[in-house]
Amino acid sequence: MRRTRPIRAVLSALLVTGACATAGFLPAQAAGADTPRTERAAASEGVLTAMQRDFGLTAPEAKARLAAEKQATVTEKKARKAAGSSYAGSWFTPKSQELTVAVADRAKAADVRATGATVRLVSRTAAQLDATRKRIDALDAPTGVSSWNVDWKTNRVVVEVQSARQTDNDVKAFLADARKAGPVTVRSTRHTPTTLAAGTVGGDPYYTGNVRCSIGFSVQGGFVTAGHCGGAGQAVNGWDNTYVGNFQGSSFPDNDYAWVNVGSGWWTVPVVLGWGTVSDQLVRGSAEAPIGASICRSGSTSHWHCGTVLAKNETVNYSQGAVHQMTKTNVCAEPGDSGGSFISGDQAQGTTSGGWGNCTSGGETWYQPINEILSRYGLTLTKA
């Protein structure tokens, strides 16, 4: 088994030459290295930037929230000690910037409140709820059950079940046993948990010589991508520069699709990277989205961007020749995004081919529809 993939490893810029650098395509551009900064300063800047983007905060608001969270960490330790065996969990509320501590003994409430925490009285302690969780841990959970955890806010154990599997007999039997274990609440979810370690994940980079492109979608035995990224037989290395496999088939121009086999400890997973902009997306099928539908793209350069399907069956006339039956979108893309995933909801749509513009000023991008690629090579999409 390959070594574990670090979370969202930062990729250095690569110098790119060769055919993929031709106008209209999206290979990696040459880029100079950024001026080195200390790890501590970069992390702080990154966290503040992400908080402003994802939570809609100003820079002062982001800093204030971080400070409140830091204080809550200190308060939680004191409050837990004050609550003793009656402690029943704690949580931070961003809007009020308060730490709430659940307590199962009214006599301890004043001591906990004195630490600066808000107190909520409940009927079960953390130890009692954890005992319930451990009893559920001992059960044999079927695949339709996604997860379970102690939920401090409800003072119960929450079991998440995939909505499409709730009526399965094995799921119902598991839930019956779980309820015997203690106070349980069942919630439905559309998501299936899956490992991301060393998997071929949509949007991730791969390398053919000195060219970087992006993985489209996992298929049984490998992944699909753009044909202009490599020819049949060409070797492919993954995000960590270890050997993945070889191009088993490739067509360009006329078409712009290819597939790569997977070996050497790599495996396929039905996931497209959200790059921290959104949660990583599970792939559940390849139903084609209509014109006018929203669609999103994941790639190793510009990461996650969304837009609209503008046209289908369009012929794109690149300098190397025409590519037919393409779908046009107003989703931006940049060099290195070639081959990456276009997805609508949880349905795979296609692999990035080329386009114009960039993700600063905008532009248009074309993709090769996924179902044509699967049909051409007799491949089966890896689905959740």
Side-chain angles (χ1 to χ4, degrees):
M1 182 177 295
R2 294 183 62 260
R3 54 194 172 86
T4 302
R5 179 179 188 269
I7 297 175
R8 300 293 175 276
V10 177
L11 301 172
S12 59
L14 297 178
L15 178 65
V16 172
T17 60
C20 279
T22 306
F25 296 94
L26 304 170
Q29 289 178 315
D34 292 334
T35 302
R37 299 180 182 181
T38 65
E39 182 177 344
R40 182 173 181 178
S44 177
E45 180 182 345
V47 168
L48 288 171
T49 300
M51 290 179 71
Q52 292 174 69
R53 179 194 66 199
D54 295 341
F55 300 138
L57 303 175
T58 64
E61 287 171 340
K63 291 179 180 178
R65 177 165 169 175
L66 285 175
E69 290 171 346
K70 183 176 182 179
Q71 180 58 50
T73 301
V74 175
T75 301
E76 192 275 340
K77 185 176 181 180
K78 296 177 180 177
R80 187 165 189 155
K81 183 177 180 180
S85 61
S86 69
Y87 176 76
S90 56
W91 58 91
F92 178 77
T93 303
K95 186 175 182 179
S96 64
Q97 296 192 347
E98 293 178 337
L99 176 76
T100 301
V101 176
V103 179
D105 183 356
R106 184 179 295 273
K108 293 288 187 178
D111 291 339
V112 173
R113 197 172 289 112
T115 67
T118 298
V119 173
R120 178 180 295 181
L121 291 172
V122 296
S123 58
R124 289 172 286 267
T125 68
Q128 290 170 326
L129 292 173
D130 199 49
T132 296
R133 180 193 58 78
K134 289 178 179 178
R135 287 191 285 269
I136 297 175
D137 286 346
L139 301 176
D140 185 14
T143 56
V145 177
S146 292
S147 64
W148 54 92
N149 70 288
V150 174
D151 183 8
W152 304 130
K153 292 184 179 181
T154 62
N155 200 227
R156 300 175 69 85
V157 175
V158 173
V159 179
E160 289 201 340
V161 178
Q162 296 166 36
S163 53
R165 305 290 297 275
Q166 291 184 80
T167 59
D168 289 3
N169 289 333
D170 54 352
V171 171
K172 291 192 290 185
F174 174 86
L175 293 177
D177 289 338
R179 289 186 175 100
K180 295 175 183 177
V184 166
T185 295
V186 178
R187 294 177 184 167
S188 63
T189 178
R190 294 182 293 113
H191 304 299
T192 303
T194 182
T195 179
L196 301 181
T200 55
V201 181
D204 245 353
Y206 69 88
Y207 305 92
T208 54
N210 58 353
V211 172
R212 170 168 59 85
C213 281
S214 302
I215 291 172
F217 294 93
S218 289
V219 296
Q220 290 186 14
F223 65 85
V224 294
T225 187
H228 71 263
C229 289
Q234 192 165 0
V236 171
N237 288 342
W239 62 270
D240 60 354
N241 210 33
T242 60
Y243 174 75
V244 174
N246 297 80
F247 278 82
Q248 298 299 298
S250 180
S251 178
F252 177 81
D254 187 26
N255 305 293
D256 192 7
Y257 49 56
W259 84 281
V260 176
N261 71 320
V262 167
S264 303
W266 290 75
W267 61 89
T268 60
V269 291
V271 173
V272 171
L273 287 178
W275 295 100
T277 302
V278 298
S279 299
D280 294 345
Q281 304 294 293
L282 289 172
V283 179
R284 298 186 184 277
S286 58
E288 187 177 350
I291 292 173
S294 62
I295 192 167
C296 297
R297 182 194 55 73
S298 181
S300 62
T301 298
S302 58
H303 298 170
W304 183 270
H305 290 276
C306 300
T308 304
V309 177
L310 300 179
K312 297 185 179 184
N313 294 326
E314 185 160 348
T315 298
V316 182
N317 191 31
Y318 296 127
S319 60
Q320 293 89 348
V323 177
H324 307 281
Q325 296 180 312
M326 303 281 276
T327 298
K328 180 171 68 176
T329 78
N330 60 6
V331 183
C332 70
E334 297 184 356
D337 289 329
S338 282
S341 323
F342 266 92
I343 188 168
S344 181
D346 57 8
Q347 300 296 303
Q349 298 299 309
T351 56
T352 305
S353 174
W356 62 269
N358 55 51
C359 289
T360 299
S361 60
E364 292 180 341
T365 305
W366 289 268
Y367 66 81
Q368 186 85 66
I370 183 67
N371 289 328
E372 180 182 356
I373 307 173
L374 299 176
S375 176
R376 169 63 179 82
Y377 294 117
L379 302 171
T380 301
L381 185 68
T382 301
K383 296 181 287 188

